[in-house]
Amino acid sequence: MFDFDREIDRSGTMSLKWDKYKGQDVLPMWVADTDFVSPPSVLAALAERAAHGIFGYSRPSPRLIELIMARLSERYGWQIEAEWLVFLPGVVPGLNLACKAWSQHGRGIITPKPVYYPFLQAPGFNDRPLLTVPMVEQEGRWLIDIEELERQAPSADLLLLCNPQNPGGTIFTREELATIDAIAERHNLVVCSDEIHCDLLLDKDARHIPYGAISAEAAQRSAVMMAPSKTFNIAGLCCSFAVVPNARLRLKLQQAMRGISADVNLLGFVAAEAAYEGGEAWLLAQLDYLRGNLALIEAAVARWPGVKMARNQATYLAWIDVGALGLENPIAFFEQAGVGLSPGAQFGDGDFVRLNFGCTRALLTKALARMEQAILTLPN
C-alpha cells in the first residue's frame, strides 16, 4: 500500500541533508529527516490548501487541538486540557525558550549526555551554566546516571530530558521516569521533556510514557514537547507544541515567546492536522520498514570487529560505538569511504557516530557495505 522502497531524487530540492555532499559520492546518512514521501492525507491536504492561494497568518484549527487531545488520551491515558497547549515553530526553539522561561541567571540547566546537540547549546545561548549528567549503558540500554543527577540537581532550576532518547534510542520506563521525577520534586526542578520521537517506537514490547502522565504532581512541574515532524517527515513545515499543565509555567513560556518566537506557519498546521487525522496506517507501515532497516544494521554491526551498538528501542537513528577502531576522525574516515554520518562528538562522545536509517533499504544496504569495506581494511 505504501512504497518505502521508492527512491526519490532529492537533489536540487534545497535539501539540507542531500546538499551537504552535493557533487560527491558520499551517501548522506546524517541529519534527522527521512527519504520517505509523507502520508497521502498530508499530501492531499497541502495540495488543497495550496490551491486556495492565500497564505496569511494562521492559528491551529479546533480540529487539530481535538486530535492532539484525543491522541494523548488514547495512546497514553493522559487527559489534557486545550488550554495546556502552546504551539511552537519547533522543539529546538522550545528548548531555548524553556531555558529563558524556567531558569534564573546563575542557576544551572541539567541535561544528560550524550544527547541531541541543541540540548548542550541552549543553556549557553541563554547565559545559563550547562550541567551534564552521563548516560550509562545498562543491560543494553542507555540510562541516566541517577546518582550524578542527584548531585547536580541542587545547583539547577531546569532539567532538559529527551525521551525517547536521541541519539541512544532508549524509551524510559514509568519506573525510570518516576525516579527522575522524585529528584525533580526534591530539588524543585522544572522538567522539559523533548518527546518528538514518541511515535517512532521500534521495540514492540516498550511503551512510551509522557513525562506529564507519570502523575498529577509531575505534570505540574513539567512541559512535554511533541511534534508530528519526525513521525510523518514534515520537519520542514515547523509545527510543534508544548503541553504545559501548570498555568504559572505556561504564562512564563508565553512571556518568553513574545517578540522572539515566530508563529507556526499555515501549512505546518494543515500538515499536522492531516497527519494526525489520516496518517496512522502509513505510520504503522513505516515502523515495520524501519524495524527491517534496523535489523540490517544490527547484523552488520555484529560482523564488524571492534564496533558495537546498544539496543535501539526507538527513532530511526543508530548510535554506533566505533571507539575501539582507534580512528583519529571517525567522520572523515567514513566520508572517505562514501558515507556521511553525524559526529558523536557533536552529541558529547567522539567515540560514536550516528547513522540515520530513515531511508530506502537499497540506500542503507549500500551505505553499510561501504562502511564494512572500510572497517575491514583497518589493521587488526
Side-chain angles (χ1 to χ4, degrees):
M1 185 176 179
F2 307 109
D3 186 6
F4 295 98
D5 285 317
R6 178 185 170 195
E7 294 193 22
I8 298 172
D9 184 2
R10 296 183 66 187
S11 62
T13 64
M14 297 177 289
S15 164
L16 179 69
K17 179 179 179 181
W18 283 82
D19 279 0
K20 179 175 181 178
Y21 297 108
K22 185 177 181 180
Q24 304 175 59
D25 185 19
V26 179
L27 305 176
M29 317 294 288
W30 63 294
V31 70
D33 66 20
T34 74
D35 295 329
F36 306 139
V37 174
S38 294
S41 61
V42 172
L43 303 184
L46 289 172
E48 181 179 352
R49 191 59 198 235
H52 181 260
I54 298 176
F55 307 101
Y57 298 115
S58 187
R59 61 182 181 178
S61 69
R63 181 56 180 159
L64 174 57
I65 293 169
E66 289 173 3
L67 286 165
I68 292 171
M69 294 173 66
R71 192 176 188 86
L72 296 183
S73 174
E74 292 163 6
R75 287 177 176 250
Y76 313 119
W78 190 21
Q79 311 298 327
I80 73 164
E81 303 293 334
E83 65 184 20
W84 298 358
L85 293 170
V86 179
F87 285 89
L88 301 162
V91 167
V92 172
L95 295 174
N96 284 273
L97 290 164
C99 294
K100 181 178 173 67
W102 301 323
S103 67
Q104 304 173 66
H105 283 286
R107 296 283 292 169
I109 295 173
I110 301 174
T111 185
K113 188 178 83 169
V115 71
Y116 180 44
Y117 62 88
F119 281 68
L120 303 173
Q121 297 172 334
F125 288 159
N126 291 275
D127 195 26
R128 307 291 197 268
L130 169 65
L131 306 177
T132 60
V133 173
M135 300 285 294
V136 292
E137 188 180 347
Q138 296 182 18
E139 298 180 358
R141 295 170 66 241
W142 290 103
L143 299 177
I144 296 169
D145 184 331
I146 292 298
E147 291 183 3
E148 184 62 15
L149 177 60
E150 184 80 66
R151 191 183 75 79
Q152 297 269 24
S155 302
D157 287 335
L158 176 65
L159 168 64
L160 300 179
L161 183 67
C162 189
N163 178 36
Q165 212 273 340
N166 174 13
T170 297
I171 304 169
F172 295 110
T173 66
R174 182 178 293 277
E175 293 72 24
E176 289 160 354
L177 292 172
T179 300
I180 294 167
D181 189 59
I183 295 173
E185 180 181 20
R186 278 195 294 275
H187 300 287
N188 199 30
L189 291 176
V190 177
V191 179
C192 179
S193 184
D194 168 8
E195 304 185 8
I196 199 169
H197 292 282
C198 66
D199 292 320
L200 295 167
L201 308 187
L202 305 184
D203 185 341
K204 293 183 177 181
D205 295 326
R207 182 170 175 235
H208 177 75
I209 309 293
Y211 195 93
I214 304 170
S215 67
E217 294 75 21
Q220 288 300 310
R221 56 176 159 266
S222 66
V224 170
M225 296 193 177
M226 294 180 170
S229 53
K230 304 297 184 184
T231 307
F232 300 102
N233 202 24
I234 52 175
L237 294 177
C238 300
C239 178
S240 304
F241 57 90
V243 185
V244 192
N246 183 297
R248 179 180 59 85
L249 294 180
R250 192 166 62 248
L251 177 60
K252 286 188 173 185
L253 177 63
Q254 291 164 334
Q255 289 172 336
M257 294 171 66
R258 291 175 184 167
I260 295 175
S261 180
D263 292 332
V264 175
N265 73 83
L266 166 65
L267 296 183
F269 282 136
V270 168
E273 180 178 335
Y276 286 149
E277 185 84 75
E280 188 64 19
W282 182 94
L283 171 57
L284 293 175
Q286 179 188 218
L287 289 173
D288 282 342
Y289 194 86
L290 291 173
R291 291 182 185 112
N293 279 359
L294 177 59
L296 285 181
I297 296 170
E298 291 171 336
V301 169
R303 293 193 304 269
W304 298 345
V307 179
K308 58 184 179 178
M309 184 176 76
R311 182 177 166 197
N312 209 109
Q313 293 183 288
T315 82
Y316 48 77
L317 306 165
W319 185 235
I320 303 173
D321 185 349
V322 296
L325 297 180
L327 303 173
E328 183 177 345
N329 186 333
I331 292 305
F333 173 79
F334 287 113
E335 283 178 340
Q336 188 173 4
V339 182
L341 305 169
S342 294
Q346 192 177 45
F347 302 86
D349 195 330
D351 284 339
F352 286 75
V353 293
R354 194 189 74 170
L355 183 153
N356 175 352
F357 57 92
C359 62
T360 66
R361 198 150 298 155
L363 183 66
L364 177 61
T365 300
K366 188 175 181 180
L368 294 174
R370 290 183 177 190
M371 292 176 70
E372 182 162 322
Q373 183 176 13
I375 291 167
L376 295 180
T377 62
L378 292 169
N380 293 329

